[in-house]
Amino acid sequence: MKLDRISFAGCYRGASPQLIAHTQQLWSARGLDLESTWLRTVGSLRGFRAADFPEEEDSSAPMDAFFLFDQAIIWVASLHSAANCVASLQDVQLDRAQWSSLQAVTYRLMEQLDAVRMLFLSDLPIPSMQIARSISEDADMALAFLIRRKLAQRFTACRTTEEANEFWRRHISGGRAFRVVADRLYEVGLDFGKQGDYSDWRRDTLAILGTAAHTSFLRHSRSDGAATENGQFRDTHDCLEFVTLRLHEMCAYSNVLQERLSKDLKYISKQQPQPGLNQSLAISAAAISEITVEHWRRTVARDPFGLSGQRES
């Protein structure tokens, strides 16, 4: 599909009109051009194509989830552009190593999100589950860098493959980054620890995603392409929703845990715009972050996973 033939509205046929209208209103109220930004971010992905859900689908939920996933991609793209922009700016409040770490993590996230989107549309669950787990780890990793400046400095100091692997083993693997984030969230009054419905759901989901890393007769014996019973994991569809939630959380919690990030994004938004998409995205990052948090709040309020509401901040 050629970019000049892509229609934003046509890409999300079947989505809730209220969700589309609300999102367009959020963008318009901040003076942002949603369709132009979407075209040059989501529309420029290497694996881009529109979703093609069955016409007999009697619910907007699948397309709504796909739409919110694409909106989250725009936020990650804007954060990556902001990290690129910081190199030419003075007086930023975050440590340079923290911004460099965000630049590296968001670059990897964009490649992974491109792949997950393509795998979702192709209904290839196993690689989708593998990448979804990796995205979740990277979201925790990014938040950990915002919380601990020295951790970001150690990350950017790695110069060899051996050093990078050692850094991962000592500071990230085994849920270490998640524990850093959970402990800090607890300090500010948010329960993201080991107890509660949300923690149980998150742990169970990551365990399911982890089964895709190795060949398993359990997975082989399940019905190919069939949705499981209500409340159980539905492979590619739930991968997409899980990834969207994790990105929404990454955005929301980054603002809670590190006010310097918000201040830097607002500082970037006041810079004189220069030609080129990356800088225009960077300048919009603060506003796109606000929109992403609003999507997260609405998702939490709907409680799509049947949780008890512990995700509300």
Side-chain angles (χ1 to χ4, degrees):
M1 185 181 295
K2 295 182 178 180
L3 284 182
D4 58 0
R5 295 182 181 177
I6 294 174
S7 163
F8 173 81
C11 191
Y12 303 106
R13 288 193 179 95
S16 164
Q18 291 83 2
L19 174 61
I20 299 293
H22 178 67
T23 301
Q24 291 174 325
Q25 182 181 33
L26 290 173
W27 281 73
S28 178
R30 292 165 175 79
L32 302 179
D33 187 336
L34 170 57
E35 295 195 28
S36 175
T37 303
W38 171 85
L39 183 66
R40 292 173 175 80
T41 52
V42 175
S44 67
L45 295 175
R46 284 164 290 185
F48 175 84
R49 63 183 173 93
D52 184 21
F53 292 111
E55 292 185 4
E56 63 270 16
E57 186 71 58
D58 59 358
S59 170
S60 68
M63 186 59 83
D64 290 351
F66 184 67
F67 173 78
L68 289 173
F69 173 79
D70 280 354
Q71 289 289 300
I73 289 178
I74 296 175
W75 173 70
V76 175
S78 72
L79 183 60
H80 180 66
S81 296
N84 289 336
C85 181
V86 162
S88 62
L89 297 178
Q90 303 295 324
D91 302 323
V92 292
Q93 298 200 20
L94 280 179
D95 188 90
R96 293 286 176 176
Q98 290 173 297
W99 270 117
S100 295
S101 298
L102 285 179
Q103 184 181 29
V105 173
T106 51
Y107 176 82
R108 175 178 163 91
L109 279 172
M110 284 303 297
E111 289 202 332
Q112 293 178 122
L113 291 169
D114 193 349
V116 164
R117 192 182 193 278
M118 183 168 52
L119 292 166
F120 168 75
L121 294 173
S122 303
D123 197 21
L124 292 170
I126 292 180
S128 179
M129 293 167 73
Q130 292 172 330
I131 298 173
R133 183 178 176 88
S134 180
I135 289 172
S136 182
E137 291 175 342
D138 282 344
D140 288 334
M141 192 173 175
L143 290 172
F145 289 148
L146 289 174
I147 295 169
R148 293 188 176 177
R149 174 177 53 86
K150 290 184 178 179
L151 186 65
Q153 292 173 346
R154 292 190 185 101
F155 175 69
T156 56
C158 296
R159 293 294 179 268
T160 66
T161 301
E162 290 75 16
E163 289 176 348
N165 287 337
E166 179 62 18
F167 172 85
W168 179 266
R169 284 193 296 268
R170 293 188 60 185
H171 302 291
I172 306 299
S173 67
R176 290 176 176 83
F178 169 71
R179 287 194 288 273
V180 169
V181 177
D183 289 346
R184 183 58 63 88
L185 284 170
Y186 182 78
E187 291 175 6
V188 299
L190 293 173
D191 182 9
F192 196 57
K194 298 179 179 179
Q195 305 298 324
D197 290 341
Y198 174 69
S199 297
D200 292 343
W201 171 81
R202 184 185 190 278
R203 183 175 57 253
D204 291 345
T205 301
L206 288 174
I208 292 169
L209 296 177
T211 64
H214 306 287
T215 301
S216 162
F217 188 77
L218 175 63
R219 290 202 56 78
H220 172 74
S221 63
R222 288 177 56 182
S223 299
D224 292 338
T228 54
E229 295 178 6
N230 186 35
Q232 295 183 351
F233 199 81
R234 299 169 298 152
D235 293 341
T236 52
H237 283 270
D238 279 357
C239 273
L240 199 78
E241 293 183 8
F242 177 72
V243 167
T244 303
L245 175 62
R246 295 294 289 123
L247 295 178
H248 282 176
E249 288 178 340
M250 177 181 162
C251 181
Y253 294 152
S254 66
N255 287 278
V256 171
L257 299 175
Q258 183 50 273
E259 63 177 10
R260 292 180 180 179
L261 173 64
S262 298
K263 290 180 179 179
D264 279 352
L265 292 179
K266 290 178 181 178
Y267 172 63
I268 293 170
S269 71
K270 297 176 182 178
Q271 303 305 305
Q272 189 67 28
Q274 300 294 327
L277 169 68
N278 287 341
Q279 290 199 358
S280 65
L281 262 181
I283 291 170
S284 303
I288 294 175
S289 177
E290 294 175 355
I291 294 169
T292 305
V293 171
E294 177 62 20
H295 280 312
W296 177 73
R297 291 186 187 280
R298 287 171 62 87
T299 299
V300 169
R302 288 196 305 271
D303 199 16
F305 299 101
L307 304 178
S308 62
Q310 286 185 257
R311 285 183 284 151
E312 185 70 77
S313 62

